Amino acid sequence: MPHNAPVPENESERLDALLHYDILDTTPEEELDAITKLASHICQTPIALISILDGKRQWFKSKIGLDISETGREISFCRYAIMNKEGLEVPNALKDERFKDNPLVTGKPDIRFYAGVPLENPEGLNMGTLCVIDSVPRTLTPEQREALKVLSKQVMMHFELRKQNQLLKREQESLKKKREMLQAISEATDELLSNSDYLEAVHNCLPMLGSAAGIDCAYLFRVKSTDKIKGQVSEQLASWSAVSESKEVVLFQKEVALSLSEKHLDKLKKYENIDLNESDTSEKDDLSSYLKAKHINSSLILPVIIGGELWGFIGFGTLAEGHVWSESELSLFKSFANSVANAVDRAAVAKQAEDMALFSLENPFPVVRVDLNGKVLLRNAPAEHISKIELNGKVYSDLEFFSLIAQQLTPVKPIKTWEVTHKQRHYNVIARLSELKKHINIYATDVTHQKRAEELLIASEARMAAIIQNLQAGILLKDENRKVIHVNKKFHQLFNLPDSAISPGEDYANVTDKIKTLFKDPKAYKNRIDQVVQEDKPCLGEELELADGRCFERDFIPIIINNTYKGHLWKYMDVTERKKYETNLKTQEEKYRSIITNMNLGLLEVNNDNVILSANNTFSNISGYSSEELVGNNALKLLGITEDRKNTIDLQGVFDIARLPVQNKRGELRWWLLSGTPNYNDMGQKTGAIIIILDITRHRKLEEELLVMRQKAEESAKAKEQFFANMSHEIRTPLNAIIGMVSELSREDLTNRQKLFVTHATSASQHLLSLVNDILDISKIEAGKLELDSSPFSLREVLREAEIIMKPAANEKLLNFNVSVSEKVSPAFLGDPIRIRQVLINLIGNAIKFTEKGSVSVLCELMERNSYSQKVKLTIADTGIGMDEAYLKDLFKKFTQEDISTSRKYGGTGLGMSITYELVQLMNGSIDVKSEKGSGTRIELVLNFTVANENNVPASAVAGSTESLDGKRVLLVEDNEMNRMVAANTLQRYKLIVTEATNGAEAIERVKETEFDLILMDLQMPVMDGIEATKIIRTQLHLTTPIIAFTANAFKSEIEQHLATGMNGYVTKPFEERVLLSTIQQMLYQTAGVVNETEELQHTKLYDLSKLIAVSHGDMAFVRKMVDLFKVHTLSSVEEIKEAFNEKDYDKIRKVTHRIKPGIEKLGITTLKADILALEEFDTSAFTPTELHEAITRLESTLAKVISALANEEL
Amino acid sequence: MRDDSTMKIFIVNDDIFSLGLYEEQIKSLGYYNISTFKSCAATLEELSNAPTIVLLDYNTADMNGFEALNQIKKQNPLIYVIMFMMEDRLDLAAMALQMGAFDSIFKDGQELQKIKEVLFQISEIQQVLYFKKPQNQSIT
C-alpha cells in the first residue's frame, strides 16, 4: 500500500536542509533543464524529471515530457527512491505490488517503467531524485544507470552552487539595507532636530525609517495618565504603514487609545523592548489584540523615556510571521526612539521658553513700549487699535498721547500715572522709564468697573442723604467717636432748633444737652441715653413724653459693619396723634368690652367644623359649662342643633336671630337667642364663625306671662262688658217704667200746669235715656266691642227715617229743614243702618240744636262708583252759631262742649260727636267739619259702601200702618210689673189683645193653652228666662210664632245669640213706642208673608254674595270660582258631620264645622250663624243630642236650599 | 328698600273654599308668591322651599295643628307661623304662641282683616331686620 511508504529516519533534518536551498517553487533553470534533457536522452525515456520531495508533495524543478509541476508525496515513486543511495528501478509498475494501483500507473502518464537516483547533499541527506519514466516496461543498462548517477551529482552540485550564490546575494542586500537604514536614521535624526514640531517630525520620519527597514508599519504612542476604567492608557500620536501592491495595507485608525498589560508596561519602564509574535500568547492586552487585528504578526516595541519617566513607545511591525529583528534593526530603532525622546524633551523645553517670552505681552490690557520720543517700539494686541484717548477733557490720538507721556517722564521722575477714557471705558495708565532709560513701558489697566462702582456709591450716598434729610422722622447719625455725622431737618424741627443748630462733627454730648430740657424728665432722658449707648443693643419703639405734651417714639440702632462698631443712629418720631388715637381706641374698646360684659352676652368662637375655639365667661355662666369643658366640643351638639336642622341654623353663615330651647349643664331648659356671623382672618379666608348668645329664658317667661295677662285682660274686658250690660239693664228697666208712666200720664186729662210738668219729666227722662245709651256706646267703643253689622240696607230709607225723626224738632224751631238724596246713589248697600242712622241723627240733632234761625240741610251725593261699590258724601249744613277754630280741634273729644254756658243752654252729654267720630272710623269713612263762629257749620261725611242686592233690604220699620195690628193676639212675657204695665198699655192702645205672663215657664203654659200671633219675651226673668222658653217653644212645641226679644242688653253679640236660639227680632228697653210697633208690624207681616212668598224669594234672603264680592275687589271670576267651590264641597262636609254625629265623634263635628264656617260666613248665610257657632263649639254639657241633631238638620236643609238657589244665580 | 311682595307664603287648610278665600285676600294685598296646601303633610314636604310665612289651620284633617307647628318650627324656627283658631279659644291661641307661632287668627268672620294686619306686621319686622343686617359681606 502506498500509505506504508517509507519515510527517511532523518526526515526533519532533511526538510530543514531543503529549505536552505530555497529551491521550491522557483523558476526553471537552464542548466538543470539541460541535465534533464540529457538524462532523457541517455536513458531513451520520454520523461525525465528533477523531483524535490517536500513534506507533502513532490515538486518538479525541471521536467521533460510531463506537464504537471507537482504531485502528492503519497503517490510519488521518489519517496521510495530517496530511501537508499542506489535509488529505485521499477521495470514494470503493473507487476510491482507497490505501484500497480498507483493513479500515475493506472491513469496518465501510464507509468510502467521508473528509474530514480537520489539527490544527496554533502551531509548525506536526499533532497529528491533525478528520475526517468516510460510508459512501457523496460530496464536500464548499467551505463545508463551510471550516467544517471553522474547526472544526479551534477544536479546536486548545481543546487549547492545555487545555494552559495544566494547567500552572497542576501548578504549584499543586507548590507544595502543597513546602509539605507543608516541613511534613514541619520535623516530622521536630522528631521527630529531641525523640525521644531516633533510630532510633524515623527510623522515624516516614520515612513523613511519604515521603508528603509522594509517593515510594514510603524507607530508612536504616548502613555497617558491613568484612566479610571482601563488603567494606564496609551494614545496614538503618529502612525505609518507601507504601501505595497503585494501586501495587505495596514490601516491605523486616526485616534486610538489602548491599554498595556502590567508586564509590558514594566518591561518598557525598564528600558526593555517588547518582541511581540503571533505565536507568543503569553500576554494578551489591547495592544496585542489591536496589532493582531491588523494582521501585524511580528512587532518590536521600544520605550520612549524622558527624564527617567516612560513617556510613550514606538512600535515597528511586519506582516511576516516569526520575524527576527536583526541587531542592526534593533540599534536603528533604539537610536530613533532616543532621538524622539530628545526631540520631545526639547520641544517641551522650547515651549516653556516661548511661553515665558510671550507672557508679558499676553496682558489683556494694552501694553506699549515707546522710545524717548514716543515712537512705538512694541505694542501688544489690545494696544493695536487705540485711538481718541480722552485725558482731562481733551482728546488725543494714540501717538499724541504717547509723545505726551514721553515729554512728561524725566530721569528724576521716571514713573507717572494718568487716568484716561477710551471708548467709554476708564483706564489707569502707568508709564515707566526703563532701567537703561532707553525706552518707556506704558501699561494701561481697565478700571471702568471700579469707576462705575465708585459713581454708584456716590449716587447712593447722595440719595441716602436726601432720604434722611426728607424723612418724616428726626434722624441723627453718629460715628464710633460719638461725633455727629448726619442730622436731618426734621430732627431740628422736632426739637425746635434752628435749621443748622447741630452741625456734623459736633460731639453728641452737646446735642443731648441742647435737647434734654425739652423732655418732661430731662435727667431720666440723659440717663437712659447713656444706658442705651452703654448696652449698645438696638432699642426700638421707646416712648418719651415731652414737657409740652407731645409724645415721641425713639429708636436706637447701633451700626455694625463687618463686626465692627461704626456708630449708631437715633430716630425720633412724633407719635402724639397716634398716641391720642390709640388711647381713644383703647377707651372705645374698653367701652364696648364693658358693654358686652354688662349685657351678659355669651360669645362663642367656632372653627369651620363648628368646634368651639373659645367661649367667654358670660357664656360659661349662661351654659353652666366651664371654658375648659367647652373648648374643643362641637357647638351644634351643645346647642342641640341636630343634623336635620343644620340647614336652617347654619352657624357658619350670617343668620338672623334664632330662638332655641337649650339644656344647660344642670339640665334646665333655657331659651337662648342666637345670632352669628362668619369670622375671617387677615387674608380674607373664612376661619369659622362668632356666635352671640343671649339667655332669654326670662323674657320668654315674661312673654308667656304677658299672654296670660292678655287673657286675663280679655276676661276683665268681658266682665266690664257684662257689667255695662247689666248696668244698662238695671238702669233702663226703671227708666223704661218712668218713660212709660209719664207717657201714659200725658195722655190723661191734665191741667196746663200739669202738662208742663209732664213735658219736663218726659224731656228729662229722654235725656237720661240718651245719656245711658251714649255711655254704653262709649264703653263699647273703648272695649273695642262695638261691632258693625254688615247687612243690606237702603241709605235712602235711613235718611228718610232720620228726616221723620228730626222734622218735629226743626219745625218746633221754625227752621227750614230739608233732606235730598241723589238719584245716582244705589238703592241698597251693605252696612249697619242703625249706626248710620245714629250718626245722622246725632249730626242733624246738633245742627238743629245749635241753629236758632235759618236752615238745616242734608245732602247725599255720589262721589265715586264702580260696579260693586260706591263712595257717598253726606253733607249736613246749618246756619247756626258755629264754632271756633280752636274748638274744632277738640270737637271729637269726649265730654266737651264749647263752653259751660253752651252745655247749660243746649244740654247734651258731650259724647255725641265722639261716638259719631268713632262710628265713622269703624265704617272706614271720614268726617270733615268746617265751621265759622256765627255763620254756621258744614259737616261732610264720606262713606264707602259695597253695593248690595236691593231685594235683600228688609222692609222699612216705619213703613207699615198701625191699622193692621187691630185684634192681633200678643203674649207679653215680662217679670217687671211696671214694664209689663207700660208695654200692655201701649199695645192695648193699638187694639192688640194682650195676654200677660211673668216668666218663661208661665209663658209656655200660656202658649200651650192659647194660640198667639206674636210673643214679646223679656230675656232676664226668674224661674225660666226668655232664651230657654224660646228654645222650648221652638224645639218642643214646634211653634213658629214670631218671638220678639225684649232686652235691656244692647250688645250686638248677645242679641245675635238670642236670634240664634229662634227669636225673630228684638226691641231694646226702654222701648220707643214707634220702634216697638214697627217691629211688631214687621214680624206679623213677615210671618204672614212667608207662606205666600215664592221659594225663590225666600232663597234670596238665605244668602248674600256682597261680602264675597267685597273680598274679590270686583273680580267676578273669583266670585264664580268660590261659589262653585262652595257648591261642590259644602254638602260633602255636611255628610261628614252627619256621619260624625252617628258615630258620636263630636271632635270631628267641631273640626268640620270649623272648616266650613268661613264659607258659610262669606256667603252671608246668616240664618245658620247660631247653628254653626253651636256646632263648632259643641259641648255635650250645653247641648243635648236632639238639639245637636236639629242643628245639623237645619244646617243640611238650609245649605241644600242655598246651593240650589246658587245654581240659579247669574254671576 | 326691601320688596316684601316676594315673601313666600304657604296657606294650609283642608277647606278649599277657605284656601281660595285667603289666597285671594293675600293676593289682593300685593303678594304673589303663594302656595296652597290641603294637608299638613304636603306642607312639611315643601318646607325646603323656605317659605317666609305659613298660615296654618288648627284643624286640618291629617294632623293636629300643634303638631304641624312643632314640625315646622323644628325644621326652620325662622318661619312665621300664623294659626287659624276656633273663635274665642284664647287658651289654644296662647299655647300656639308659646310653641312659637307668630300670631293667631280667630275664625270669627274678621279673618281677612286680621290676615292683612298680621302680614303688615311681619312686613314691618322684616323691614327692621333687613336694615339691621350687614349689607356687604364681601371680602376684599
Side-chain angles (χ1 to χ4, degrees):
Chain A
M1 286 299 289
H3 301 293
N4 298 333
V7 174
E9 277 171 18
N10 47 4
E11 177 67 9
S12 65
E13 241 175 277
R14 191 187 73 82
L15 286 173
D16 203 28
L18 182 61
L19 273 176
H20 278 98
Y21 286 103
D22 196 13
I23 195 153
L24 286 165
D25 301 314
T26 53
T27 49
E29 285 171 47
E30 234 174 84
E31 294 96 325
L32 292 172
D33 285 347
I35 291 170
T36 324
K37 239 176 220 172
L38 200 57
S40 152
H41 191 71
I42 291 169
C43 296
Q44 294 291 308
T45 56
I47 299 168
L49 305 161
I50 295 171
S51 167
I52 311 294
L53 202 64
D54 196 1
K56 299 215 186 283
R57 57 172 183 167
Q58 64 169 339
W59 181 74
F60 309 127
K61 174 64 184 171
S62 180
K63 54 194 193 274
I64 296 290
L66 199 66
D67 286 335
I68 53 173
S69 60
E70 59 180 47
T71 74
R73 182 169 168 167
E74 71 280 358
I75 58 166
S76 71
F77 285 65
C78 283
R79 69 188 196 276
Y80 292 97
I82 62 162
M83 291 311 288
N84 56 51
K85 279 189 186 282
E86 294 310 315
L88 173 73
E89 195 173 324
V90 181
N92 189 349
L94 288 172
K95 291 186 178 158
D96 194 314
E97 277 298 312
R98 294 174 294 186
F99 303 113
K100 65 175 184 188
D101 297 326
N102 193 304
L104 298 172
V105 176
T106 55
K108 283 269 175 194
D110 300 317
I111 297 174
R112 292 300 179 267
F113 167 75
Y114 171 88
V117 182
L119 297 169
E120 190 187 3
N121 81 344
E123 283 84 35
L125 300 165
N126 297 335
M127 297 297 114
T129 60
L130 173 68
C131 58
V132 289
I133 293 165
D134 203 346
S135 54
V136 292
R138 60 179 294 176
T139 51
L140 283 183
T141 63
E143 293 82 20
Q144 283 174 315
R145 265 183 213 129
E146 198 55 37
L148 210 53
K149 271 185 187 169
V150 170
L151 283 174
S152 81
K153 279 189 175 117
Q154 278 295 313
V155 169
M156 204 56 223
M157 213 139 76
H158 183 81
F159 279 11
E160 281 297 321
L161 275 172
R162 203 175 169 278
K163 184 179 160 190
Q164 287 301 322
N165 216 0
Q166 266 179 344
L167 269 174
L168 273 171
K169 215 176 181 176
R170 217 171 275 154
E171 236 162 71
Q172 251 176 1
E173 274 174 9
S174 147
L175 274 171
K176 190 183 163 203
K177 194 175 168 187
K178 252 184 202 163
R179 217 169 39 242
E180 279 175 7
M181 283 165 71
L182 279 171
Q183 181 71 29
I185 188 74
S186 85
E187 278 175 18
T189 312
D190 264 5
E191 173 73 15
L192 282 169
L193 279 171
S194 62
N195 197 334
S196 57
D197 185 350
Y198 76 92
L199 257 185
E200 192 186 286
V202 170
H203 212 78
N204 293 338
C205 289
L206 287 180
M208 272 195 278
L209 218 57
S211 43
I215 54 169
D216 294 310
C217 65
Y219 40 86
L220 172 67
F221 273 79
R222 162 117 200 227
V223 175
K224 280 244 164 175
S225 50
T226 312
D227 181 293
K228 271 179 191 166
I229 305 156
K230 290 192 160 186
Q232 205 141 27
V233 162
S234 303
E235 184 188 55
Q236 181 180 291
L237 295 180
S239 68
W240 164 83
S241 50
V243 180
S244 128
E245 281 173 20
S246 61
K247 289 176 184 171
E248 229 177 298
V249 177
V250 182
L251 288 173
F252 284 92
Q253 279 106 331
K254 274 211 165 151
E255 283 168 23
V256 182
L258 304 168
S259 71
L260 261 68
S261 70
E262 279 297 313
K263 191 178 151 195
H264 285 156
L265 275 174
D266 276 357
K267 262 188 154 180
L268 289 174
K269 281 178 188 164
K270 287 178 194 158
Y271 289 82
E272 282 172 31
N273 309 327
I274 302 169
D275 195 350
L276 275 178
N277 252 311
E278 198 223 351
S279 53
D280 181 9
T281 53
S282 64
E283 204 59 35
K284 293 278 174 222
D285 56 9
D286 277 1
L287 184 61
S288 328
S289 356
Y290 180 68
L291 294 172
K292 201 181 161 193
K294 307 272 172 221
H295 304 289
I296 300 167
N297 294 319
S298 305
S299 288
L300 180 68
I301 292 163
L302 301 162
V304 176
I305 290 177
I306 297 165
E309 291 286 319
L310 180 66
W311 179 88
F313 55 86
I314 296 176
F316 304 93
T318 162
L319 299 178
E321 286 177 28
H323 182 81
V324 178
W325 303 93
S326 64
E327 276 301 317
S328 55
E329 282 172 328
L330 271 174
S331 65
L332 176 74
F333 294 151
K334 266 186 184 168
S335 119
F336 178 66
N338 284 337
S339 298
V340 169
N342 286 337
V344 172
D345 197 15
R346 217 166 34 242
V349 173
K351 180 99 176 50
Q352 257 178 342
E354 194 181 10
D355 286 352
M356 294 274 281
L358 287 173
F359 182 70
S360 68
L361 289 176
E362 290 211 341
N363 195 325
F365 299 127
V367 176
V368 184
R369 177 175 286 179
V370 296
D371 67 8
L372 297 178
N373 297 319
K375 192 182 156 208
V376 176
L377 298 175
L378 195 69
R379 52 165 61 169
N380 69 352
E384 292 287 340
H385 306 291
I386 295 176
S387 61
K388 286 191 182 171
I389 300 156
E390 204 183 315
L391 172 66
N392 299 333
K394 275 174 85 183
V395 177
Y396 300 90
S397 77
D398 54 344
L399 295 179
E400 283 168 354
F401 181 59
F402 296 149
S403 66
L404 184 79
I405 290 172
Q407 283 165 25
Q408 292 193 4
L409 287 184
T410 59
V412 186
K413 198 180 179 188
I415 186 161
K416 200 169 174 186
T417 60
W418 292 266
E419 274 186 21
V420 302
T421 312
H422 178 245
K423 289 185 180 164
Q424 283 155 16
R425 299 192 73 80
H426 301 279
Y427 291 89
N428 238 349
V429 177
I430 302 173
R432 180 193 216 126
L433 212 54
S434 75
E435 293 277 312
L436 300 167
K437 322 277 189 241
K438 278 190 178 160
H439 52 255
I440 301 162
N441 288 336
I442 304 168
Y443 305 94
T445 317
D446 189 337
V447 294
T448 313
H449 278 300
Q450 292 92 308
K451 195 88 182 167
R452 298 236 164 108
E454 221 169 85
E455 280 168 9
L456 281 176
L457 199 69
I458 289 165
S460 107
E461 261 175 17
R463 211 158 36 233
M464 199 68 116
I467 289 169
I468 290 176
Q469 197 59 42
N470 293 315
L471 219 54
Q472 282 310 299
I475 298 285
L476 189 135
L477 199 64
K478 295 190 308 182
D479 68 5
E480 59 271 41
N481 303 317
R482 298 200 71 174
K483 296 277 185 240
V484 174
I485 299 171
H486 206 101
V487 56
N488 72 353
K489 222 189 259 173
K490 188 77 184 173
F491 190 91
H492 288 98
Q493 285 172 6
L494 283 177
F495 292 103
N496 305 331
L497 294 168
D499 265 1
S500 48
I502 304 165
S503 48
E506 198 168 339
D507 194 285
Y508 185 63
N510 292 341
V511 178
T512 309
D513 287 341
K514 272 182 198 168
I515 63 175
K516 70 177 181 190
T517 52
L518 281 166
F519 288 93
K520 211 173 182 181
D521 188 348
K523 210 170 177 184
Y525 171 74
K526 196 169 171 5
N527 290 344
R528 179 63 186 152
I529 280 194
D530 291 342
Q531 188 191 350
V532 165
V533 173
Q534 194 68 38
E535 280 172 6
D536 202 17
K537 279 178 191 157
C539 176
L540 305 175
E542 223 166 81
E543 278 177 8
L544 305 164
E545 279 181 36
L546 269 79
D548 59 5
R550 283 184 297 165
C551 183
F552 285 1
E553 190 181 276
R554 180 182 62 194
D555 292 346
F556 169 80
I557 304 159
I559 299 160
I560 310 280
I561 300 168
N562 293 334
N563 293 328
T564 345
Y565 173 67
K566 290 284 185 193
H568 54 250
L569 184 137
W570 290 103
K571 179 182 161 205
Y572 287 91
M573 270 172 87
D574 188 340
V575 293
T576 317
E577 280 302 307
R578 199 180 76 197
K579 197 81 187 154
K580 234 187 248 169
Y581 180 72
E582 272 175 6
T583 317
N584 269 350
L585 205 71
K586 217 170 159 186
T587 322
Q588 206 97 339
E589 204 187 302
E590 271 167 11
K591 192 168 114 192
Y592 286 121
R593 197 185 297 280
S594 80
I595 286 172
I596 287 174
T597 315
N598 292 333
M599 272 181 83
N600 282 326
L601 221 47
L603 280 177
L604 267 187
E605 194 184 346
V606 298
N607 68 8
N608 283 328
D609 297 322
N610 294 319
V611 173
I612 297 170
L613 300 176
S614 69
N616 70 349
N617 281 340
T618 312
F619 185 75
S620 292
N621 292 340
I622 291 175
S623 65
Y625 294 100
S626 72
S627 181
E628 290 75 27
E629 286 172 301
L630 290 166
V631 170
N633 277 319
N634 192 303
L636 287 177
K637 219 171 127 191
L638 178 81
L639 297 171
I641 301 173
T642 46
E643 279 298 312
D644 53 325
R645 284 181 71 183
K646 237 167 99 180
N647 293 335
T648 55
I649 304 182
D650 179 11
L651 294 184
Q652 298 294 332
V654 183
F655 62 98
D656 290 335
I657 287 164
R659 290 194 287 187
L660 275 184
V662 178
Q663 277 196 333
N664 68 7
K665 197 186 178 185
R666 284 185 291 276
E668 296 162 344
L669 177 77
R670 310 296 291 181
W671 279 87
W672 288 358
L673 193 76
L674 300 189
S675 187
T677 177
N679 205 6
Y680 298 96
N681 66 9
D682 300 343
M683 316 288 294
Q685 292 159 326
K686 189 170 159 297
T687 57
I690 289 177
I691 302 154
I692 299 171
I693 296 108
L694 190 65
D695 191 318
I696 51 159
T697 315
R698 275 189 55 216
H699 306 83
R700 193 75 197 179
K701 227 177 201 167
L702 271 173
E703 231 169 76
E704 284 166 20
E705 281 167 7
L706 222 62
L707 259 168
V708 174
M709 277 165 73
R710 179 178 149 187
Q711 213 172 330
K712 280 183 182 162
E714 301 254 358
E715 277 164 15
S716 87
K718 239 180 185 172
K720 189 177 161 193
E721 189 184 339
Q722 192 62 44
F723 168 75
F724 274 107
N726 291 338
M727 271 288 288
S728 64
H729 179 84
E730 295 303 325
I731 295 171
R732 277 163 196 255
T733 306
L735 194 56
N736 195 26
I738 295 167
I739 290 171
M741 292 301 170
V742 172
S743 173
E744 288 304 315
L745 187 62
S746 68
R747 292 178 215 281
E748 299 294 321
D749 276 340
L750 297 174
T751 64
N752 281 347
R753 194 179 160 80
Q754 281 170 327
K755 266 183 188 163
L756 184 68
F757 292 157
V758 172
T759 312
H760 281 297
T762 308
S763 160
S765 55
Q766 287 294 348
H767 186 213
L768 184 59
L769 180 62
S770 72
L771 190 66
V772 168
N773 283 340
D774 282 355
I775 288 175
L776 204 56
D777 279 348
I778 282 292
S779 73
K780 277 194 275 192
I781 288 166
E782 279 185 347
K785 280 287 172 180
L786 193 101
E787 283 165 8
L788 293 181
D789 192 15
S790 181
S791 60
F793 75 100
S794 164
L795 183 62
R796 216 177 285 274
E797 201 57 44
V798 170
L799 279 161
R800 202 160 66 84
E801 280 173 31
E803 191 183 359
I804 292 167
I805 294 166
M806 299 317 294
K807 193 90 184 172
N811 287 344
E812 208 169 292
K813 292 181 97 172
L814 300 173
L815 295 173
N816 194 356
F817 178 53
N818 69 76
V819 176
S820 66
V821 183
S822 163
E823 285 299 317
K824 292 173 190 164
V825 173
S826 169
F829 287 130
L830 218 52
D832 190 334
I834 295 168
R835 290 304 179 182
I836 291 170
R837 194 176 63 195
Q838 186 181 353
V839 167
L840 285 172
I841 288 174
N842 191 6
L843 293 176
I844 297 167
N846 273 346
I848 294 171
K849 198 194 300 183
F850 296 109
T851 305
E852 296 305 329
K853 59 178 182 178
S855 66
V856 171
S857 66
V858 178
L859 181 65
C860 177
E861 304 163 284
L862 180 66
M863 280 179 82
E864 277 172 41
R865 73 188 294 177
N866 59 44
S867 326
Y868 306 99
S869 73
Q870 288 195 343
K871 194 187 250 186
V872 173
K873 184 160 86 176
L874 289 154
T875 312
I876 296 107
D878 67 53
T879 55
I881 58 170
M883 288 169 278
D884 261 343
E885 212 172 307
Y887 175 65
L888 275 178
K889 282 188 280 180
D890 294 334
L891 182 61
F892 299 120
K893 283 190 180 170
K894 283 170 220 155
F895 307 110
T896 48
Q897 276 184 341
E898 192 164 14
D899 57 50
I900 300 160
S901 63
T902 315
S903 179
R904 248 179 273 141
K905 185 175 177 188
Y906 299 103
T909 58
L911 288 172
M913 284 309 273
S914 175
I915 292 165
T916 300
Y917 179 78
E918 293 295 340
L919 288 175
V920 171
Q921 292 303 309
L922 278 173
M923 291 172 199
N924 287 326
S926 67
I927 184 163
D928 182 42
V929 183
K930 287 194 180 93
S931 184
E932 212 175 296
K933 191 87 178 162
S935 62
T937 303
R938 184 186 173 86
I939 295 172
E940 282 179 3
L941 197 59
V942 177
L943 296 171
N944 236 325
F945 293 112
T946 304
V947 175
N949 189 337
E950 199 179 343
N951 295 333
N952 291 348
V953 178
S956 166
V958 285
S961 78
T962 52
E963 302 299 316
S964 56
L965 297 178
D966 199 352
K968 295 283 179 196
R969 290 152 299 166
V970 177
L971 175 65
L972 175 64
V973 192
E974 167 65 85
D975 61 328
N976 186 294
E977 200 188 335
M978 280 187 287
N979 279 345
R980 201 167 59 235
M981 203 176 95
V982 171
N985 270 342
T986 308
L987 293 171
Q988 279 159 357
R989 206 167 34 247
Y990 287 95
K991 315 249 169 42
L992 285 149
I993 301 155
V994 180
T995 310
E996 290 179 25
T998 54
N999 60 48
E1002 217 175 286
I1004 287 169
E1005 292 306 310
R1006 297 288 101 77
V1007 167
K1008 280 178 186 169
E1009 293 160 4
T1010 334
E1011 197 179 319
F1012 294 99
D1013 294 314
L1014 188 81
I1015 300 167
L1016 282 169
M1017 179 94 75
D1018 187 20
L1019 292 178
Q1020 284 158 319
M1021 291 178 293
V1023 186
M1024 182 189 281
D1025 67 14
I1027 294 166
E1028 208 171 342
T1030 307
K1031 273 188 196 169
I1032 291 168
I1033 292 167
R1034 291 282 185 253
T1035 57
Q1036 287 177 20
L1037 305 177
H1038 301 291
L1039 292 174
T1040 53
T1041 315
I1043 301 173
I1044 295 173
F1046 239 170
T1047 175
N1049 190 341
F1051 285 99
K1052 191 179 158 230
S1053 62
E1054 227 167 286
I1055 291 163
E1056 276 181 0
Q1057 218 171 330
H1058 307 327
L1059 291 177
T1061 58
M1063 291 180 168
N1064 304 68
Y1066 70 94
V1067 173
T1068 51
K1069 290 192 286 188
F1071 59 84
E1072 284 179 54
E1073 202 175 287
R1074 181 177 45 83
V1075 175
L1076 174 66
L1077 288 175
S1078 73
T1079 309
I1080 291 169
Q1081 235 164 8
Q1082 196 183 330
M1083 286 300 137
L1084 289 172
Y1085 168 76
Q1086 219 177 43
T1087 340
V1090 167
V1091 191
N1092 305 325
E1093 260 175 333
T1094 57
E1095 281 281 298
E1096 199 187 346
L1097 189 61
Q1098 203 175 20
H1099 286 157
T1100 54
K1101 293 185 177 175
L1102 280 172
Y1103 66 89
D1104 177 7
L1105 292 180
S1106 50
K1107 270 192 192 175
L1108 196 57
I1109 291 167
V1111 173
S1112 76
H1113 298 275
D1115 178 2
M1116 284 316 279
F1118 167 74
V1119 175
R1120 271 194 297 278
K1121 187 185 113 190
M1122 295 307 286
V1123 168
D1124 285 345
L1125 279 175
F1126 184 83
K1127 285 195 282 197
V1128 173
H1129 292 279
T1130 312
L1131 282 183
S1132 66
S1133 295
V1134 176
E1135 285 304 314
E1136 269 185 78
I1137 292 174
K1138 276 163 76 183
E1139 226 171 87
F1141 175 74
N1142 291 335
E1143 288 163 14
K1144 293 196 167 59
D1145 186 351
Y1146 302 127
D1147 190 48
K1148 187 156 187 194
I1149 293 173
R1150 282 192 285 268
K1151 275 190 176 177
V1152 177
T1153 313
H1154 175 78
R1155 196 170 77 200
I1156 62 173
K1157 187 182 170 191
I1160 291 168
E1161 197 255 331
K1162 279 289 166 303
L1163 258 75
I1165 311 170
T1166 43
T1167 48
L1168 283 176
K1169 198 157 183 176
D1171 285 327
I1172 287 290
L1173 205 62
L1175 289 172
E1176 192 189 11
E1177 303 266 328
F1178 177 73
D1179 187 345
T1180 42
S1181 62
F1183 288 89
T1184 61
T1186 327
E1187 287 168 339
L1188 183 61
H1189 184 250
E1190 280 164 12
I1192 292 170
T1193 315
R1194 267 197 302 280
L1195 183 70
E1196 192 183 8
S1197 67
T1198 311
L1199 287 178
K1201 282 178 202 162
V1202 167
I1203 286 165
S1204 73
L1206 278 173
N1208 298 324
E1209 180 91 17
E1210 276 182 29
L1211 292 165
Chain B
M1 259 310 269
R2 185 188 162 94
D3 179 15
D4 265 313
S5 62
T6 56
M7 282 201 303
K8 191 174 282 180
I9 301 175
F10 281 13
I11 313 173
V12 192
N13 203 310
D14 57 355
D15 178 41
I16 302 181
F17 189 89
S18 303
L19 275 184
L21 201 61
Y22 300 158
E23 185 180 3
E24 182 69 20
Q25 169 69 356
I26 293 167
K27 266 188 194 161
S28 78
L29 294 172
Y31 303 94
Y32 54 83
N33 204 344
I34 305 167
S35 308
T36 56
F37 299 92
K38 277 161 80 179
S39 72
C40 291
T43 316
L44 293 174
E45 273 172 33
E46 288 299 312
L47 278 187
S48 53
N49 284 334
T52 312
I53 301 166
V54 176
L55 298 166
L56 179 67
D57 196 77
Y58 175 73
N59 272 324
T60 38
D62 69 327
M63 199 180 281
N64 178 289
F66 285 154
E67 197 187 327
L69 170 64
N70 228 333
Q71 299 249 11
I72 292 169
K73 281 281 152 183
K74 243 185 206 171
Q75 282 199 39
N76 185 351
L78 300 180
I79 294 175
Y80 298 91
V81 180
I82 297 149
M83 269 210 138
F84 286 91
M85 285 291 169
M86 288 83 78
E87 208 171 329
D88 291 334
R89 289 299 297 268
L90 261 175
D91 53 337
L92 292 180
M95 209 191 275
L97 290 184
Q98 279 179 30
M99 290 177 67
F102 179 78
D103 207 343
S104 300
I105 294 178
F106 296 114
K107 282 193 181 176
D108 56 0
Q110 304 293 316
E111 302 102 288
L112 299 184
Q113 176 62 25
K114 187 76 203 238
I115 287 174
K116 183 176 167 182
E117 286 167 14
V118 172
L119 290 186
F120 180 69
Q121 273 177 33
I122 290 174
S123 181
E124 277 192 325
I125 290 170
Q126 291 281 88
Q127 210 71 255
V128 171
L129 287 177
Y130 174 74
F131 283 117
K132 273 188 181 171
K133 207 185 271 185
Q135 294 290 303
N136 274 316
Q137 281 295 324
S138 66
I139 312 299
T140 50

